[in-house]
Amino acid sequence: MYHIAVIPGDGTGPEVVREGLKVLEAVAAAKGFTYDTTEYDLGGERYLKTGEELPDSVLDELRGYHAIYLGAVGHPKVAPGILEKGLLLRLRFELEQYINLRPVKLFPGVDCPLKGKKPSDIDFVVVRENNEGLYSGIGGVQKKGTPEEVATQLMVNTRSGVDRCLRYAYELTRRRGRLGERRVAAEDLAGVGEGAVGDEVRFEHRERGAMTGRLVERGEGGIKVATPGMLTLCAKTNVLTCAHDLWWRAFNEMGAGEFPEIFRDYAHVDATCMWFVKNPEYFDVIVVCNMFGDIITDLGAMIQGGMGVAAGGNINPDGVSMFEPIGGSAPRYTGQNVINPLAAICAVGMLLDQLGEHEAAEAVEAAVMATTPRMKSMGAGRMGYSTSEVGDMVAKAVAG
């Protein structure tokens, strides 16, 4: 029996959560597991009535659940930053949900704004550090409102925090096991071990250290190797020479020591954004700091078809994790039954996968993929179906 806390939240949150729970009920019946849910009224309405964002007693209760399912937080009558910091960030930090997991996958029939790109071209995962960086809240303002005002915000990175994020990303890359060929130019090589084409060889990258791979080609221009996955570190080592030097060193030390078969790639954050648009098929798994991850995942949502299909997880691998659509509360669509529920339904799939119900998670994704080709658009009010009708279609596909 799984115990799931449900926070429908604000705006259209309750509408999409209702459809997610509809699909959860269908897949539980199909796959034979049991669960119960407990609803919490956290969000803008509660704050406006009581002044409470996240009472300590509620936080303690949430620690006891197997997972948390969140609709959305954000209310037009609540000033920006109050709910985000007092509710969302507090949940992520105090429950040590140190991974923000964002699959970026283009489903069949979904319009992609990138010319000529197909579902096979857009299928990667962003692993964002979720408890540190610029979101740590360390900073201040002096002489506020004067011409001499000084505002500071510190990017906090600890070795333990960086290491645990990297380890999750490496292990995820290994599990995905996406075999692919990678070329290493001669000028980037410090050496290549003995071995014929088809053999497993050890090679040394001048900047990134030791790796291994099956030799595909060897020549004057370098080598081509096949590896079971590629992890890209997205950072800004040329400017953030303290904070991101820590990420760079930890990334290469862990990779060379524990995951040599995973190809280690690097891209500045600006280049990452460029390649998302130009060649999204290049990526496998990306690991990134908190702020940069916040930015590139919204770009990822757009290239996978929009916020209507983008789901995310806030993961504590050893504790309670929280899953949500990433599109926000969309208050202008509240109560109209026109918002796209697929992101919230995909969040249910992620929740099930984290609980170890992998077949159920795959069934939810398959049902979503069976539904998207029938929809006219992923945009609110343009789907060709109502919110509840889309939920019905996915639930029926799961049951069938």
Side-chain angles (χ1 to χ4, degrees):
M1 169 76 77
Y2 298 114
H3 305 294
I4 301 172
V6 179
I7 306 173
D10 302 315
T12 58
E15 297 175 55
V16 297
V17 161
R18 181 180 63 240
E19 304 311 312
L21 293 177
K22 183 187 294 180
V23 172
L24 178 60
E25 182 180 7
V27 76
K31 298 300 178 181
F33 64 87
T34 59
Y35 69 96
D36 60 30
T37 62
T38 304
E39 186 172 310
Y40 288 86
D41 66 340
L42 301 172
E45 290 296 336
R46 177 170 181 157
Y47 176 77
L48 290 170
K49 291 176 183 176
T50 68
E52 295 178 315
E53 299 150 18
L54 178 59
D56 291 343
S57 59
V58 174
L59 181 63
D60 288 340
E61 288 180 27
L62 292 174
R63 296 181 196 277
Y65 288 91
H66 291 103
I68 302 169
Y69 184 38
L70 171 67
V73 170
H75 196 291
K77 293 183 180 179
V78 179
I82 293 175
L83 296 173
E84 291 83 355
K85 293 177 67 175
L87 177 52
L88 288 182
L89 289 185
R90 190 176 177 212
L91 281 170
R92 293 175 184 177
F93 281 38
E94 297 214 25
L95 297 178
E96 288 194 82
Q97 295 169 345
Y98 61 85
I99 296 295
N100 184 275
L101 189 64
R102 270 286 292 115
V104 179
K105 186 169 185 174
L106 182 63
F107 292 131
V110 177
D111 288 335
C112 176
L114 305 181
K115 182 179 179 181
K117 298 302 180 184
K118 309 176 295 298
S120 58
D121 296 319
I122 301 175
D123 185 4
F124 59 88
V125 182
V126 178
V127 176
R128 166 189 167 194
E129 199 288 318
N130 210 35
N131 278 181
E132 297 188 347
L134 285 167
Y135 285 47
S136 298
I138 298 177
V141 179
Q142 292 80 42
K143 300 183 179 180
K144 189 172 184 177
T146 74
E148 293 80 29
E149 182 172 347
V150 178
T152 59
Q153 200 87 35
L154 297 184
M155 177 181 279
V156 178
N157 300 268
T158 67
R159 183 60 188 252
S160 59
V162 170
D163 274 349
R164 67 184 183 177
C165 180
L166 290 171
R167 185 173 304 282
Y168 185 95
Y170 272 117
E171 291 174 348
L172 175 62
T173 309
R174 180 181 277 171
R175 289 197 304 272
R176 276 170 64 88
R178 299 192 65 181
L179 185 68
E181 295 180 354
R182 334 284 177 186
R183 183 172 291 281
V184 189
E187 58 266 27
D188 294 328
L189 286 168
V192 184
E194 294 296 323
V197 170
D199 291 345
E200 191 77 12
V201 297
R202 180 184 185 278
F203 60 97
E204 188 87 15
H205 193 284
R206 292 187 187 279
E207 295 180 338
R208 302 169 200 167
M211 291 183 252
T212 61
R214 182 175 57 80
L215 187 64
V216 174
E217 180 184 295
R218 184 197 297 261
E220 292 183 2
I223 62 170
K224 183 188 288 185
V225 292
T227 66
M230 181 177 76
L231 180 61
T232 300
L233 172 63
C234 169
K236 195 69 176 172
T237 54
N238 59 338
V239 175
L240 302 177
T241 53
C242 297
H244 284 187
D245 176 66
L246 168 57
W247 277 88
W248 172 254
R249 287 183 289 106
F251 175 67
N252 288 309
E253 288 168 14
M254 184 177 293
E258 300 180 51
F259 303 91
E261 80 282 10
I262 302 300
F263 190 87
R264 296 195 300 283
D265 180 49
Y266 175 82
H268 291 325
V269 63
D270 42 346
T272 302
C273 292
M274 178 182 73
W275 289 113
F276 269 22
V277 174
K278 190 173 185 294
N279 291 104
E281 64 274 12
Y282 173 77
F283 294 104
D284 180 7
V285 179
I286 300 163
V287 63
V288 61
C289 71
N290 207 336
M291 172 59 82
F292 290 169
D294 196 359
I295 295 167
I296 69 170
T297 51
D298 274 10
L299 178 56
M302 289 300 100
I303 68 173
Q304 74 179 112
M307 294 295 184
V309 289
N314 301 280
I315 311 295
N316 178 337
D318 302 309
V320 60
S321 299
M322 179 170 66
F323 302 87
E324 60 185 316
I326 73 166
S329 60
R332 63 176 173 158
Y333 296 116
T334 301
Q336 299 177 39
N337 199 26
V338 297
I339 198 73
N340 190 343
L342 289 182
I345 292 170
C346 289
V348 167
M350 295 182 69
L351 182 154
L352 292 169
D353 195 57
Q354 181 67 24
L355 292 178
E357 295 289 342
H358 305 304
E359 287 188 10
E362 290 171 1
V364 171
E365 183 173 274
V368 170
M369 293 172 70
T371 301
T372 51
R374 301 172 61 185
M375 298 168 63
K376 293 180 179 179
S377 168
M378 297 299 110
R382 304 193 303 275
M383 299 182 294
Y385 299 93
S386 68
T387 302
S388 55
E389 286 172 334
V390 172
D392 288 341
M393 288 191 292
V394 178
K396 184 177 180 180
V398 166

